[in-house]
Amino acid sequence: MMDALFFYLFATLVLGGAILTVTRRNAVHSAISLIVSLIGVAGLYLLQQAEFLFAVQIVLYVGGIMVLFLFVIMLVNLDQAAKQRRFNRQWWIALLCVTAVGVEIAYFVRKGASAFSMARPPVAAVANAGGNTEQIADVLFRQYLLPFEIASVLLLVAVVGSVVMAKKRI
Amino acid sequence: MNFFLLSVLKAAVVAFVLLTTLAYLQWVERKVIAHIQVRMGPYRVGPHGLLQPLADVIKLITKEELIPPHVNKFMYLLAPFLAVTMALVSISVIPFGTEIHVFGTPTWMQLTDLNVGLLFILAVSSMGVYGIALGGWASNNKYSLLGGLRSSAQMISYELPLSIAIASPLLLVNTLSLREIVQAQTGSIIHWNILRWPAPQIVSFLVFLIAGFAETNRVPFDLPEAENELVAGFHTEYSSMKFAAFFMAEYANMVTVSCMTAILFLGGWQPLFSPAWGSNFVPTLIFTAGGLIAIYHGLNPARKLDRITLPVTGVVFLLVGALFLVPAAQNALIPLFWFAAKVGAVLFLYIWVRGTLPRFRYDQLMRFAWKVLFPVALANLLVTGLVVALW
């Protein structure tokens, strides 16, 4: 009962925030709506007993990336940007995308839970393994070590690339 | 006792104590800085200005609530609310002491223990940036905007060395729950993380402390409100209680960082040396010494009034000291004393630094974060990891 209540609360936050993000004209308001949406996602993680993901979602996305977003938006002249013609004139492409996603969702709803194959360890096993944080560390550094390292190298490349592009003289 | 009732009681006590601490922290700061600068500080309202915080609160509440016409109203009102809420929420996972019995029900001196308590504090404090950044933007004023931008850049930069400095003691204690972090440091001072064998965390303690100063926008990192460049920074356009909310958030953040320092590096509520060597008598000794000094000066008064006030203060001190000897109260009071002593020491350091150091220049601040603090924290993490793995 409580779980369902919180699920709908967070789902409302996620969807409401997402809708406001794309419909608001003021870029700062859009960014704030996106933050609300991301907080909702963090709440959904918490409902799935993934406390580590919840905390990381807030620290990284809400507290880090979105602050930088806001940082850039605040320096831009908003009045000028709001007057510009926006990219919402492509009705046909949008309609096509929406239909494709709708068909996908309808297919999965028709097939039910059997359409997905998800690893579902029992809750007791999570508690025995020392909580969500330790399990994630185990999986990340044993099973998925190579993808993890590749992702970190990719991020390093991005950092070096942005420094090279931003600096005129190195 | 009912779980719900108990939680409400604990929350009420913690909130009351925290808000009183915030009000009086400001009095302590003014007094300490005054004495550093050879002044008297607040002296008029009550004895030694002790009622000054109360007067300040009344002043702030009754001031005119002004909303400038050119602001973004929603964000302008949201910002101080956000700042103070995020600052006060993190106290809910801080453990103040061991398990106690309230009307026969065992409970911890902590509102709640999360198994990711440390990450929770980081998450909440990283959301506190929004209060300042949005406040600066919504004010629609160039000084406010610059103050807000400076603060968000500074807080994001210093969050990095702060998080890495936290990671090294975590390698030693192997948990993210704040209660278990303190329990892992049981024993005397050599078991605290700052001096713990095999990898003493002195370097990460210093990095954490410095980054903590920057995170709370305190001198020498108080660039968001550098008066000579930015008027008052992000809160230039705020008045009355909205200004007070920002002020309270700053002090609450200070208290949180001090609590974190005490828990992560200084052993939380654990005593300085083992109770077998008599550490349980330290609070009694300190309060007795204070009380006796007060009574001595009361017997040799410099002013007429001292003949009454000083002995009364002395007797109160002696009574408090005697309270620490009562076996029933000892279980709760002694851990609380050690925790309060450590947090108080770190808070005093904050004020001391404010009275001593000048402000950084903005480029110096950024260079210091990225070229000094960050590599040092990273190297310390590497060394700690290696030592812990090899040991």
Side-chain angles (χ1 to χ4, degrees), chain A residues 28-29 32 35 52 55 58-59 62-63 66-68 71 74-75 78 133, chain B residues 72 75 115-116 119 122-123 126-127 129-130 133-134 137 149 152-153 156 176:
Chain A
V28 172
H29 289 182
I32 304 281
I35 292 165
F52 183 74
I58 291 199
V59 171
V62 179
M66 283 316 293
V67 175
L68 290 180
F71 200 85
M74 282 175 182
L75 290 174
L78 286 178
T133 314
Chain B
N72 184 323
M75 298 294 169
N115 60 1
V116 288
L119 288 176
L122 281 183
S126 73
M127 277 168 76
V129 184
Y130 285 113
L134 284 180
W137 178 77
L149 287 180
S152 32
I156 288 180
L176 285 171

PDB file of all heavy atoms in Angstrom, chain A residues 28-29 32 35 52 55 58-59 62-63 66-68 71 74-75 78 133, chain B residues 72 75 115-116 119 122-123 126-127 129-130 133-134 137 149 152-153 156 176:
ATOM      1  N   VAL A  28      15.639  28.233 -17.615  1.00  0.00           N
ATOM      2  CA  VAL A  28      15.909  27.922 -16.206  1.00  0.00           C
ATOM      3  C   VAL A  28      14.783  27.076 -15.626  1.00  0.00           C
ATOM      4  O   VAL A  28      15.016  26.101 -14.900  1.00  0.00           O
ATOM      5  CB  VAL A  28      16.099  29.217 -15.398  1.00  0.00           C
ATOM      6  CG1 VAL A  28      16.181  28.914 -13.925  1.00  0.00           C
ATOM      7  CG2 VAL A  28      17.359  29.917 -15.838  1.00  0.00           C
ATOM      8  N   HIS A  29      13.543  27.411 -15.992  1.00  0.00           N
ATOM      9  CA  HIS A  29      12.416  26.610 -15.512  1.00  0.00           C
ATOM     10  C   HIS A  29      12.515  25.186 -16.036  1.00  0.00           C
ATOM     11  O   HIS A  29      12.220  24.224 -15.317  1.00  0.00           O
ATOM     12  CB  HIS A  29      11.092  27.236 -15.948  1.00  0.00           C
ATOM     13  CG  HIS A  29      10.792  28.503 -15.230  1.00  0.00           C
ATOM     14  ND1 HIS A  29       9.647  29.222 -15.430  1.00  0.00           N
ATOM     15  CD2 HIS A  29      11.512  29.197 -14.323  1.00  0.00           C
ATOM     16  CE1 HIS A  29       9.659  30.296 -14.670  1.00  0.00           C
ATOM     17  NE2 HIS A  29      10.790  30.309 -13.991  1.00  0.00           N
ATOM     18  N   ILE A  32      15.026  23.335 -13.946  1.00  0.00           N
ATOM     19  CA  ILE A  32      14.479  22.988 -12.628  1.00  0.00           C
ATOM     20  C   ILE A  32      13.541  21.784 -12.755  1.00  0.00           C
ATOM     21  O   ILE A  32      13.570  20.859 -11.928  1.00  0.00           O
ATOM     22  CB  ILE A  32      13.708  24.189 -12.037  1.00  0.00           C
ATOM     23  CG1 ILE A  32      14.589  25.416 -11.973  1.00  0.00           C
ATOM     24  CG2 ILE A  32      13.172  23.830 -10.654  1.00  0.00           C
ATOM     25  CD1 ILE A  32      15.527  25.479 -10.867  1.00  0.00           C
ATOM     26  N   ILE A  35      15.453  18.705 -12.965  1.00  0.00           N
ATOM     27  CA  ILE A  35      15.966  18.308 -11.646  1.00  0.00           C
ATOM     28  C   ILE A  35      14.890  17.554 -10.882  1.00  0.00           C
ATOM     29  O   ILE A  35      15.146  16.501 -10.283  1.00  0.00           O
ATOM     30  CB  ILE A  35      16.414  19.555 -10.861  1.00  0.00           C
ATOM     31  CG1 ILE A  35      17.633  20.175 -11.511  1.00  0.00           C
ATOM     32  CG2 ILE A  35      16.719  19.192  -9.422  1.00  0.00           C
ATOM     33  CD1 ILE A  35      17.922  21.563 -11.051  1.00  0.00           C
ATOM     34  N   PHE A  52      22.295   2.769  -2.896  1.00  0.00           N
ATOM     35  CA  PHE A  52      23.520   3.339  -3.456  1.00  0.00           C
ATOM     36  C   PHE A  52      23.212   4.130  -4.732  1.00  0.00           C
ATOM     37  O   PHE A  52      23.667   5.258  -4.898  1.00  0.00           O
ATOM     38  CB  PHE A  52      24.516   2.219  -3.752  1.00  0.00           C
ATOM     39  CG  PHE A  52      25.827   2.722  -4.262  1.00  0.00           C
ATOM     40  CD1 PHE A  52      26.727   3.329  -3.409  1.00  0.00           C
ATOM     41  CD2 PHE A  52      26.159   2.607  -5.600  1.00  0.00           C
ATOM     42  CE1 PHE A  52      27.930   3.803  -3.883  1.00  0.00           C
ATOM     43  CE2 PHE A  52      27.356   3.084  -6.078  1.00  0.00           C
ATOM     44  CZ  PHE A  52      28.243   3.679  -5.214  1.00  0.00           C
ATOM     45  N   ALA A  55      21.601   7.457  -3.885  1.00  0.00           N
ATOM     46  CA  ALA A  55      22.521   8.494  -3.434  1.00  0.00           C
ATOM     47  C   ALA A  55      23.369   9.011  -4.595  1.00  0.00           C
ATOM     48  O   ALA A  55      23.562  10.217  -4.753  1.00  0.00           O
ATOM     49  CB  ALA A  55      23.413   7.958  -2.313  1.00  0.00           C
ATOM     50  N   ILE A  58      21.528  11.321  -6.952  1.00  0.00           N
ATOM     51  CA  ILE A  58      21.374  12.698  -6.461  1.00  0.00           C
ATOM     52  C   ILE A  58      22.719  13.423  -6.472  1.00  0.00           C
ATOM     53  O   ILE A  58      22.818  14.566  -6.928  1.00  0.00           O
ATOM     54  CB  ILE A  58      20.740  12.698  -5.060  1.00  0.00           C
ATOM     55  CG1 ILE A  58      19.303  12.232  -5.211  1.00  0.00           C
ATOM     56  CG2 ILE A  58      20.798  14.074  -4.443  1.00  0.00           C
ATOM     57  CD1 ILE A  58      18.423  12.566  -4.081  1.00  0.00           C
ATOM     58  N   VAL A  59      23.785  12.750  -5.985  1.00  0.00           N
ATOM     59  CA  VAL A  59      25.086  13.426  -5.925  1.00  0.00           C
ATOM     60  C   VAL A  59      25.548  13.813  -7.323  1.00  0.00           C
ATOM     61  O   VAL A  59      25.990  14.943  -7.556  1.00  0.00           O
ATOM     62  CB  VAL A  59      26.133  12.525  -5.249  1.00  0.00           C
ATOM     63  CG1 VAL A  59      27.518  13.127  -5.394  1.00  0.00           C
ATOM     64  CG2 VAL A  59      25.811  12.335  -3.789  1.00  0.00           C
ATOM     65  N   VAL A  62      21.765  15.381  -9.848  1.00  0.00           N
ATOM     66  CA  VAL A  62      21.124  16.566  -9.289  1.00  0.00           C
ATOM     67  C   VAL A  62      22.166  17.555  -8.773  1.00  0.00           C
ATOM     68  O   VAL A  62      22.104  18.747  -9.052  1.00  0.00           O
ATOM     69  CB  VAL A  62      20.157  16.147  -8.158  1.00  0.00           C
ATOM     70  CG1 VAL A  62      19.516  17.368  -7.554  1.00  0.00           C
ATOM     71  CG2 VAL A  62      19.102  15.206  -8.699  1.00  0.00           C
ATOM     72  N   GLY A  63      23.162  17.033  -8.016  1.00  0.00           N
ATOM     73  CA  GLY A  63      24.097  17.942  -7.366  1.00  0.00           C
ATOM     74  C   GLY A  63      25.267  18.345  -8.233  1.00  0.00           C
ATOM     75  O   GLY A  63      25.936  19.332  -7.953  1.00  0.00           O
ATOM     76  N   MET A  66      23.501  18.842 -13.139  1.00  0.00           N
ATOM     77  CA  MET A  66      22.456  19.847 -13.345  1.00  0.00           C
ATOM     78  C   MET A  66      22.898  21.227 -12.855  1.00  0.00           C
ATOM     79  O   MET A  66      22.463  22.244 -13.392  1.00  0.00           O
ATOM     80  CB  MET A  66      21.165  19.424 -12.631  1.00  0.00           C
ATOM     81  CG  MET A  66      20.398  18.353 -13.361  1.00  0.00           C
ATOM     82  SD  MET A  66      20.265  18.610 -15.127  1.00  0.00           S
ATOM     83  CE  MET A  66      19.238  20.062 -15.175  1.00  0.00           C
ATOM     84  N   VAL A  67      23.773  21.262 -11.843  1.00  0.00           N
ATOM     85  CA  VAL A  67      24.282  22.566 -11.400  1.00  0.00           C
ATOM     86  C   VAL A  67      25.088  23.197 -12.525  1.00  0.00           C
ATOM     87  O   VAL A  67      24.973  24.396 -12.795  1.00  0.00           O
ATOM     88  CB  VAL A  67      25.134  22.415 -10.129  1.00  0.00           C
ATOM     89  CG1 VAL A  67      25.745  23.739  -9.750  1.00  0.00           C
ATOM     90  CG2 VAL A  67      24.312  21.895  -8.982  1.00  0.00           C
ATOM     91  N   LEU A  68      25.885  22.360 -13.225  1.00  0.00           N
ATOM     92  CA  LEU A  68      26.673  22.886 -14.345  1.00  0.00           C
ATOM     93  C   LEU A  68      25.763  23.355 -15.478  1.00  0.00           C
ATOM     94  O   LEU A  68      26.005  24.391 -16.105  1.00  0.00           O
ATOM     95  CB  LEU A  68      27.637  21.815 -14.848  1.00  0.00           C
ATOM     96  CG  LEU A  68      28.783  21.503 -13.879  1.00  0.00           C
ATOM     97  CD1 LEU A  68      29.675  20.435 -14.443  1.00  0.00           C
ATOM     98  CD2 LEU A  68      29.586  22.757 -13.600  1.00  0.00           C
ATOM     99  N   PHE A  71      24.339  26.579 -14.498  1.00  0.00           N
ATOM    100  CA  PHE A  71      25.452  27.499 -14.558  1.00  0.00           C
ATOM    101  C   PHE A  71      25.554  28.128 -15.942  1.00  0.00           C
ATOM    102  O   PHE A  71      25.679  29.330 -16.103  1.00  0.00           O
ATOM    103  CB  PHE A  71      26.696  26.641 -14.291  1.00  0.00           C
ATOM    104  CG  PHE A  71      27.890  27.396 -13.850  1.00  0.00           C
ATOM    105  CD1 PHE A  71      28.045  27.702 -12.523  1.00  0.00           C
ATOM    106  CD2 PHE A  71      28.858  27.763 -14.751  1.00  0.00           C
ATOM    107  CE1 PHE A  71      29.148  28.390 -12.109  1.00  0.00           C
ATOM    108  CE2 PHE A  71      29.968  28.443 -14.337  1.00  0.00           C
ATOM    109  CZ  PHE A  71      30.113  28.764 -13.010  1.00  0.00           C
ATOM    110  N   MET A  74      22.314  30.208 -16.913  1.00  0.00           N
ATOM    111  CA  MET A  74      22.212  31.513 -16.261  1.00  0.00           C
ATOM    112  C   MET A  74      23.044  32.571 -16.974  1.00  0.00           C
ATOM    113  O   MET A  74      22.745  33.756 -16.888  1.00  0.00           O
ATOM    114  CB  MET A  74      22.695  31.397 -14.818  1.00  0.00           C
ATOM    115  CG  MET A  74      21.681  30.789 -13.905  1.00  0.00           C
ATOM    116  SD  MET A  74      22.394  30.574 -12.286  1.00  0.00           S
ATOM    117  CE  MET A  74      21.036  29.810 -11.442  1.00  0.00           C
ATOM    118  N   LEU A  75      24.112  32.146 -17.650  1.00  0.00           N
ATOM    119  CA  LEU A  75      24.979  33.106 -18.319  1.00  0.00           C
ATOM    120  C   LEU A  75      24.453  33.497 -19.696  1.00  0.00           C
ATOM    121  O   LEU A  75      24.950  34.416 -20.314  1.00  0.00           O
ATOM    122  CB  LEU A  75      26.393  32.536 -18.445  1.00  0.00           C
ATOM    123  CG  LEU A  75      27.137  32.425 -17.120  1.00  0.00           C
ATOM    124  CD1 LEU A  75      28.451  31.725 -17.308  1.00  0.00           C
ATOM    125  CD2 LEU A  75      27.358  33.803 -16.528  1.00  0.00           C
ATOM    126  N   LEU A  78      18.451  35.006 -21.702  1.00  0.00           N
ATOM    127  CA  LEU A  78      17.276  34.157 -21.866  1.00  0.00           C
ATOM    128  C   LEU A  78      16.204  34.799 -22.734  1.00  0.00           C
ATOM    129  O   LEU A  78      15.535  34.134 -23.508  1.00  0.00           O
ATOM    130  CB  LEU A  78      16.682  33.830 -20.499  1.00  0.00           C
ATOM    131  CG  LEU A  78      17.479  32.817 -19.696  1.00  0.00           C
ATOM    132  CD1 LEU A  78      16.830  32.609 -18.362  1.00  0.00           C
ATOM    133  CD2 LEU A  78      17.568  31.507 -20.447  1.00  0.00           C
ATOM    134  N   THR A 133      25.273  -1.539  -1.710  1.00  0.00           N
ATOM    135  CA  THR A 133      26.540  -0.925  -2.095  1.00  0.00           C
ATOM    136  C   THR A 133      27.600  -1.978  -2.385  1.00  0.00           C
ATOM    137  O   THR A 133      28.277  -1.941  -3.423  1.00  0.00           O
ATOM    138  CB  THR A 133      27.034  -0.015  -0.962  1.00  0.00           C
ATOM    139  OG1 THR A 133      25.951   0.767  -0.506  1.00  0.00           O
ATOM    140  CG2 THR A 133      28.161   0.860  -1.431  1.00  0.00           C
TER     141      THR A 133
ATOM    142  N   ASN B  72      12.397  37.154 -10.182  1.00  0.00           N
ATOM    143  CA  ASN B  72      11.589  36.011 -10.584  1.00  0.00           C
ATOM    144  C   ASN B  72      10.981  35.457  -9.307  1.00  0.00           C
ATOM    145  O   ASN B  72      11.643  34.784  -8.522  1.00  0.00           O
ATOM    146  CB  ASN B  72      12.508  34.986 -11.252  1.00  0.00           C
ATOM    147  CG  ASN B  72      11.750  33.816 -11.783  1.00  0.00           C
ATOM    148  OD1 ASN B  72      10.775  33.376 -11.171  1.00  0.00           O
ATOM    149  ND2 ASN B  72      12.184  33.306 -12.908  1.00  0.00           N
ATOM    150  N   MET B  75      11.157  31.526  -7.957  1.00  0.00           N
ATOM    151  CA  MET B  75      12.514  31.084  -7.621  1.00  0.00           C
ATOM    152  C   MET B  75      13.076  31.894  -6.449  1.00  0.00           C
ATOM    153  O   MET B  75      13.786  31.371  -5.602  1.00  0.00           O
ATOM    154  CB  MET B  75      13.442  31.260  -8.821  1.00  0.00           C
ATOM    155  CG  MET B  75      13.047  30.450  -9.998  1.00  0.00           C
ATOM    156  SD  MET B  75      13.209  28.703  -9.651  1.00  0.00           S
ATOM    157  CE  MET B  75      12.386  28.029 -11.065  1.00  0.00           C
ATOM    158  N   ASN B 115      21.987   2.875   5.898  1.00  0.00           N
ATOM    159  CA  ASN B 115      23.217   2.154   5.596  1.00  0.00           C
ATOM    160  C   ASN B 115      24.034   2.855   4.520  1.00  0.00           C
ATOM    161  O   ASN B 115      25.124   2.424   4.188  1.00  0.00           O
ATOM    162  CB  ASN B 115      22.930   0.690   5.233  1.00  0.00           C
ATOM    163  CG  ASN B 115      22.037   0.574   4.040  1.00  0.00           C
ATOM    164  OD1 ASN B 115      21.638   1.576   3.473  1.00  0.00           O
ATOM    165  ND2 ASN B 115      21.727  -0.638   3.636  1.00  0.00           N
ATOM    166  N   VAL B 116      23.508   3.952   3.962  1.00  0.00           N
ATOM    167  CA  VAL B 116      24.327   4.806   3.099  1.00  0.00           C
ATOM    168  C   VAL B 116      24.336   6.225   3.668  1.00  0.00           C
ATOM    169  O   VAL B 116      24.314   7.199   2.936  1.00  0.00           O
ATOM    170  CB  VAL B 116      23.820   4.827   1.641  1.00  0.00           C
ATOM    171  CG1 VAL B 116      24.109   3.524   0.952  1.00  0.00           C
ATOM    172  CG2 VAL B 116      22.357   5.147   1.586  1.00  0.00           C
ATOM    173  N   LEU B 119      26.694   8.853   2.191  1.00  0.00           N
ATOM    174  CA  LEU B 119      26.304   9.296   0.852  1.00  0.00           C
ATOM    175  C   LEU B 119      25.079  10.195   0.927  1.00  0.00           C
ATOM    176  O   LEU B 119      24.945  11.142   0.146  1.00  0.00           O
ATOM    177  CB  LEU B 119      26.012   8.090  -0.038  1.00  0.00           C
ATOM    178  CG  LEU B 119      27.221   7.291  -0.467  1.00  0.00           C
ATOM    179  CD1 LEU B 119      26.794   6.082  -1.256  1.00  0.00           C
ATOM    180  CD2 LEU B 119      28.125   8.155  -1.312  1.00  0.00           C
ATOM    181  N   LEU B 122      26.219  13.626   1.702  1.00  0.00           N
ATOM    182  CA  LEU B 122      26.825  14.226   0.502  1.00  0.00           C
ATOM    183  C   LEU B 122      25.748  14.666  -0.475  1.00  0.00           C
ATOM    184  O   LEU B 122      25.810  15.757  -1.054  1.00  0.00           O
ATOM    185  CB  LEU B 122      27.747  13.219  -0.177  1.00  0.00           C
ATOM    186  CG  LEU B 122      29.127  13.026   0.434  1.00  0.00           C
ATOM    187  CD1 LEU B 122      29.922  12.068  -0.409  1.00  0.00           C
ATOM    188  CD2 LEU B 122      29.838  14.351   0.514  1.00  0.00           C
ATOM    189  N   ALA B 123      24.741  13.799  -0.665  1.00  0.00           N
ATOM    190  CA  ALA B 123      23.675  14.098  -1.624  1.00  0.00           C
ATOM    191  C   ALA B 123      22.917  15.346  -1.201  1.00  0.00           C
ATOM    192  O   ALA B 123      22.704  16.271  -1.997  1.00  0.00           O
ATOM    193  CB  ALA B 123      22.723  12.908  -1.732  1.00  0.00           C
ATOM    194  N   SER B 126      24.952  18.461  -1.507  1.00  0.00           N
ATOM    195  CA  SER B 126      25.175  18.897  -2.890  1.00  0.00           C
ATOM    196  C   SER B 126      23.923  19.568  -3.449  1.00  0.00           C
ATOM    197  O   SER B 126      24.000  20.382  -4.357  1.00  0.00           O
ATOM    198  CB  SER B 126      25.584  17.721  -3.772  1.00  0.00           C
ATOM    199  OG  SER B 126      24.485  16.889  -4.016  1.00  0.00           O
ATOM    200  N   MET B 127      22.748  19.240  -2.894  1.00  0.00           N
ATOM    201  CA  MET B 127      21.533  19.920  -3.345  1.00  0.00           C
ATOM    202  C   MET B 127      21.419  21.316  -2.743  1.00  0.00           C
ATOM    203  O   MET B 127      20.661  22.151  -3.237  1.00  0.00           O
ATOM    204  CB  MET B 127      20.303  19.099  -2.989  1.00  0.00           C
ATOM    205  CG  MET B 127      20.027  18.012  -3.999  1.00  0.00           C
ATOM    206  SD  MET B 127      18.820  16.853  -3.412  1.00  0.00           S
ATOM    207  CE  MET B 127      17.340  17.790  -3.628  1.00  0.00           C
ATOM    208  N   VAL B 129      23.468  23.579  -2.945  1.00  0.00           N
ATOM    209  CA  VAL B 129      24.017  24.567  -3.882  1.00  0.00           C
ATOM    210  C   VAL B 129      22.896  25.335  -4.575  1.00  0.00           C
ATOM    211  O   VAL B 129      23.012  26.522  -4.839  1.00  0.00           O
ATOM    212  CB  VAL B 129      24.868  23.865  -4.964  1.00  0.00           C
ATOM    213  CG1 VAL B 129      25.522  24.879  -5.863  1.00  0.00           C
ATOM    214  CG2 VAL B 129      25.891  22.983  -4.336  1.00  0.00           C
ATOM    215  N   TYR B 130      21.784  24.624  -4.843  1.00  0.00           N
ATOM    216  CA  TYR B 130      20.695  25.248  -5.592  1.00  0.00           C
ATOM    217  C   TYR B 130      20.138  26.473  -4.892  1.00  0.00           C
ATOM    218  O   TYR B 130      19.759  27.435  -5.547  1.00  0.00           O
ATOM    219  CB  TYR B 130      19.577  24.244  -5.836  1.00  0.00           C
ATOM    220  CG  TYR B 130      19.938  23.261  -6.912  1.00  0.00           C
ATOM    221  CD1 TYR B 130      20.128  21.934  -6.626  1.00  0.00           C
ATOM    222  CD2 TYR B 130      20.121  23.707  -8.201  1.00  0.00           C
ATOM    223  CE1 TYR B 130      20.488  21.045  -7.604  1.00  0.00           C
ATOM    224  CE2 TYR B 130      20.485  22.828  -9.187  1.00  0.00           C
ATOM    225  CZ  TYR B 130      20.661  21.499  -8.888  1.00  0.00           C
ATOM    226  OH  TYR B 130      21.030  20.639  -9.846  1.00  0.00           O
ATOM    227  N   ALA B 133      22.595  29.243  -5.782  1.00  0.00           N
ATOM    228  CA  ALA B 133      22.656  29.544  -7.216  1.00  0.00           C
ATOM    229  C   ALA B 133      21.345  30.161  -7.693  1.00  0.00           C
ATOM    230  O   ALA B 133      21.339  31.177  -8.395  1.00  0.00           O
ATOM    231  CB  ALA B 133      22.965  28.276  -7.991  1.00  0.00           C
ATOM    232  N   LEU B 134      20.207  29.563  -7.288  1.00  0.00           N
ATOM    233  CA  LEU B 134      18.919  30.083  -7.725  1.00  0.00           C
ATOM    234  C   LEU B 134      18.629  31.437  -7.092  1.00  0.00           C
ATOM    235  O   LEU B 134      18.083  32.327  -7.756  1.00  0.00           O
ATOM    236  CB  LEU B 134      17.806  29.103  -7.359  1.00  0.00           C
ATOM    237  CG  LEU B 134      17.719  27.873  -8.249  1.00  0.00           C
ATOM    238  CD1 LEU B 134      16.594  26.989  -7.780  1.00  0.00           C
ATOM    239  CD2 LEU B 134      17.508  28.264  -9.686  1.00  0.00           C
ATOM    240  N   TRP B 137      20.415  33.968  -9.068  1.00  0.00           N
ATOM    241  CA  TRP B 137      19.849  34.195 -10.391  1.00  0.00           C
ATOM    242  C   TRP B 137      18.509  34.926 -10.307  1.00  0.00           C
ATOM    243  O   TRP B 137      18.259  35.870 -11.044  1.00  0.00           O
ATOM    244  CB  TRP B 137      19.662  32.859 -11.120  1.00  0.00           C
ATOM    245  CG  TRP B 137      19.044  33.026 -12.460  1.00  0.00           C
ATOM    246  CD1 TRP B 137      19.655  33.453 -13.594  1.00  0.00           C
ATOM    247  CD2 TRP B 137      17.674  32.788 -12.808  1.00  0.00           C
ATOM    248  NE1 TRP B 137      18.756  33.499 -14.627  1.00  0.00           N
ATOM    249  CE2 TRP B 137      17.543  33.093 -14.172  1.00  0.00           C
ATOM    250  CE3 TRP B 137      16.567  32.340 -12.079  1.00  0.00           C
ATOM    251  CZ2 TRP B 137      16.317  32.953 -14.831  1.00  0.00           C
ATOM    252  CZ3 TRP B 137      15.360  32.212 -12.736  1.00  0.00           C
ATOM    253  CH2 TRP B 137      15.250  32.517 -14.096  1.00  0.00           C
ATOM    254  N   LEU B 149      26.952  32.371  -8.989  1.00  0.00           N
ATOM    255  CA  LEU B 149      27.775  31.577  -9.909  1.00  0.00           C
ATOM    256  C   LEU B 149      29.089  31.180  -9.251  1.00  0.00           C
ATOM    257  O   LEU B 149      29.522  30.036  -9.350  1.00  0.00           O
ATOM    258  CB  LEU B 149      28.049  32.367 -11.183  1.00  0.00           C
ATOM    259  CG  LEU B 149      26.863  32.508 -12.120  1.00  0.00           C
ATOM    260  CD1 LEU B 149      27.251  33.305 -13.340  1.00  0.00           C
ATOM    261  CD2 LEU B 149      26.352  31.151 -12.538  1.00  0.00           C
ATOM    262  N   SER B 152      28.448  28.356  -6.845  1.00  0.00           N
ATOM    263  CA  SER B 152      28.218  27.008  -7.381  1.00  0.00           C
ATOM    264  C   SER B 152      29.503  26.439  -7.970  1.00  0.00           C
ATOM    265  O   SER B 152      29.795  25.256  -7.788  1.00  0.00           O
ATOM    266  CB  SER B 152      27.081  26.994  -8.398  1.00  0.00           C
ATOM    267  OG  SER B 152      27.002  28.186  -9.089  1.00  0.00           O
ATOM    268  N   ALA B 153      30.314  27.296  -8.639  1.00  0.00           N
ATOM    269  CA  ALA B 153      31.583  26.806  -9.175  1.00  0.00           C
ATOM    270  C   ALA B 153      32.485  26.326  -8.042  1.00  0.00           C
ATOM    271  O   ALA B 153      33.084  25.251  -8.113  1.00  0.00           O
ATOM    272  CB  ALA B 153      32.279  27.913  -9.957  1.00  0.00           C
ATOM    273  N   ILE B 156      31.148  22.984  -6.428  1.00  0.00           N
ATOM    274  CA  ILE B 156      31.359  21.793  -7.258  1.00  0.00           C
ATOM    275  C   ILE B 156      32.829  21.409  -7.264  1.00  0.00           C
ATOM    276  O   ILE B 156      33.188  20.249  -7.131  1.00  0.00           O
ATOM    277  CB  ILE B 156      30.862  22.054  -8.692  1.00  0.00           C
ATOM    278  CG1 ILE B 156      29.357  22.102  -8.692  1.00  0.00           C
ATOM    279  CG2 ILE B 156      31.336  20.972  -9.635  1.00  0.00           C
ATOM    280  CD1 ILE B 156      28.785  22.353 -10.035  1.00  0.00           C
ATOM    281  N   LEU B 176      29.370   2.417   5.225  1.00  0.00           N
ATOM    282  CA  LEU B 176      28.906   3.772   4.917  1.00  0.00           C
ATOM    283  C   LEU B 176      27.949   4.281   5.989  1.00  0.00           C
ATOM    284  O   LEU B 176      27.518   5.422   5.933  1.00  0.00           O
ATOM    285  CB  LEU B 176      28.190   3.790   3.559  1.00  0.00           C
ATOM    286  CG  LEU B 176      29.079   3.716   2.333  1.00  0.00           C
ATOM    287  CD1 LEU B 176      28.241   3.516   1.097  1.00  0.00           C
ATOM    288  CD2 LEU B 176      29.895   4.969   2.194  1.00  0.00           C
TER     289      LEU B 176
END
